[in-house]
Amino acid sequence: MFEHPPTLRLVVVSGGFGMQSKTETLVQTIADEIAKRLSVELEFVKFSEIGGFIGQTFDRKQLPEHVQIALHTVETADALIVGTPVYRASYPGLFKHFFDLIEQFALVNVPVILAASGGSERHSLVIEHQLRPLFSFFQTQTMSLGVYATDKDFSSDYRIINHELLERISLTIQRALPILRAIKLRHFMKN
């Protein structure tokens, strides 16, 4: 039908601070599953790479260039997957500070899949009580389902081993796909 199918710029934000983390595995799995179903250009913003620089200032112009690029990458995304670890019933302060530095109206109507990982099910409402209100402030279009994982959902080498979690990821993507496809169609109509 057209020479080059439109590609969706899907930016994946991993709020995990370790070079290998459950949060990063979770958002990577969600991104990989979307990429199997839709033509996407995946870009990653990893706190394991930028986390140490985020808290150095309240003025984004004083941040190192690679952190400013990460902020811009999020602000210009067609869609986002955002994942965070849960500490003491909430997302980490540096995760919040990163989003404090995002331009207030940059994410209006951007679809966002929310994900979190924590030590137990006790923190599973973090998506509804912490993440969804944060992204509502930005007037994003948060997807109806979020994905929460616990330590027992992963093997010791950070692979997802819980079949129910994989089913939840699949259902979340299934619900998000019509919205993501509509964005691709709008891109095609513009070009």
Side-chain angles (χ1 to χ4, degrees):
M1 182 173 160
F2 38 83
E3 195 172 309
H4 300 288
T7 301
L8 182 81
R9 272 192 66 246
L10 180 59
V11 175
V12 182
V13 179
S14 172
F17 294 105
M19 291 307 284
Q20 195 173 26
S21 74
K22 295 172 183 93
T23 302
E24 195 158 311
T25 297
L26 181 61
V27 294
Q28 179 75 58
T29 301
I30 295 167
D32 290 345
E33 290 301 312
I34 290 174
K36 290 177 186 176
R37 296 165 172 89
L38 196 65
S39 174
V40 293
E41 174 189 334
L42 292 175
E43 295 183 51
F44 291 85
V45 172
K46 298 180 179 183
F47 280 42
S48 60
E49 297 170 358
I50 65 169
F53 302 96
I54 295 170
Q56 293 180 357
T57 182
F58 292 104
D59 180 0
R60 78 185 263 169
K61 293 176 188 159
Q62 295 178 0
L63 288 167
E65 183 179 3
H66 71 288
V67 181
Q68 291 184 42
I69 290 169
L71 289 163
H72 180 72
T73 298
V74 170
E75 291 171 339
T76 57
D78 293 328
L80 293 167
I81 299 170
V82 178
T84 182
V86 180
Y87 297 112
R88 306 201 186 235
S90 187
Y91 43 70
L94 286 177
F95 177 87
K96 173 66 166 64
H97 187 59
F98 178 82
F99 284 97
D100 287 342
L101 297 169
I102 293 287
E103 197 278 315
Q104 181 175 350
F105 299 107
L107 302 178
V108 173
N109 293 326
V110 172
V112 182
I113 295 174
L114 300 172
S117 63
S120 74
E121 282 108 12
R122 290 179 302 160
H123 303 305
S124 62
L125 289 176
V126 70
I127 291 174
E128 301 305 321
H129 293 198
Q130 305 282 323
L131 290 174
R132 204 171 294 280
L134 173 62
F135 287 93
S136 291
F137 168 81
F138 288 109
Q139 301 174 51
T140 65
Q141 186 178 1
T142 56
M143 299 297 95
S144 59
L145 291 179
V147 181
Y148 180 79
T150 65
D151 288 349
K152 68 181 180 187
D153 295 325
F154 298 88
S155 65
S156 60
D157 62 346
Y158 296 92
R159 288 179 299 109
I160 295 176
I161 56 174
N162 184 330
H163 184 69
E164 290 176 357
L165 175 58
L166 293 171
E167 286 179 350
R168 176 72 174 201
I169 290 169
S170 183
L171 181 59
T172 300
I173 292 168
Q174 180 184 334
R175 300 261 175 93
L177 279 176
I179 294 162
L180 300 178
R181 286 187 178 118
I183 293 170
K184 283 185 59 160
L185 184 59
R186 280 197 304 268
H187 286 326
F188 176 67
M189 300 302 267
K190 283 181 185 176
N191 300 328

